[in-house]
Amino acid sequence: MLAFSILKPGDTEGKVTTVPKPVPQDGFALVRVLRAGVCNTDLEILQGYMGFHGVLGHEFVGIVESIGGNGKDVDELKEKWIGKRVCGDINVGCANCEICHETLDDKCCQMSRNHCPNR
């Protein structure tokens, strides 16, 4: 699949690259990205202010293509979500603290980015 990537830390030019298509872990979704936004963080990376390298595009909209795993619970997730349009949010709260219970999970002190191991 194609991805817009920064190949090494400090690069100020991105490049469209071919990367392996990910295989979702059990209970996680693979989303076919239709559109990705460019945010201020992306601009700071491209201006060399951050030592990031990897795939850009953490603000996106797409369609759930598959869900990893098997079993009754996963089958229900597949039936409910495959083919649905979703948007991505890399700011994932722990879902357990008082802040998250008040639906302020973007301010969670135990926030994880890009995955949600606490859920």
Side-chain angles (χ1 to χ4, degrees):
M1 69 179 205
L2 298 177
F4 185 70
S5 303
I6 301 294
L7 300 179
K8 59 185 177 187
D11 274 358
T12 57
E13 264 186 45
K15 182 178 179 182
V16 176
T17 59
T18 301
V19 297
K21 185 176 180 178
V23 176
Q25 297 175 20
D26 291 356
F28 283 74
L30 176 65
V31 175
R32 181 170 24 99
V33 175
L34 301 175
R35 299 285 186 272
V38 176
C39 75
N40 195 56
T41 302
D42 296 324
L43 295 176
E44 288 176 354
I45 290 167
L46 290 170
Q47 292 169 349
Y49 295 126
M50 303 172 85
F52 175 86
H53 68 286
V55 176
L56 295 179
H58 63 269
E59 295 177 357
F60 61 89
V61 64
I63 296 176
V64 176
E65 192 171 276
S66 65
I67 296 177
N70 294 301
K72 183 182 176 200
D73 291 343
V74 174
D75 290 342
E76 289 174 6
L77 286 174
K78 290 177 180 179
E79 186 175 319
K80 180 178 180 180
W81 287 103
I82 290 180
K84 297 280 176 121
R85 188 177 298 242
V86 296
C87 62
D89 183 355
I90 67 160
N91 299 313
V92 180
C94 71
N96 297 315
C97 70
E98 185 177 330
I99 292 170
C100 286
H101 287 264
E102 292 177 14
T103 65
L104 301 169
D105 58 324
D106 62 321
K107 296 178 177 35
C108 175
C109 294
Q110 300 177 61
M111 186 179 301
S112 171
R113 300 207 188 278
N114 296 323
H115 56 87
C116 40
N118 299 323
R119 290 192 175 194

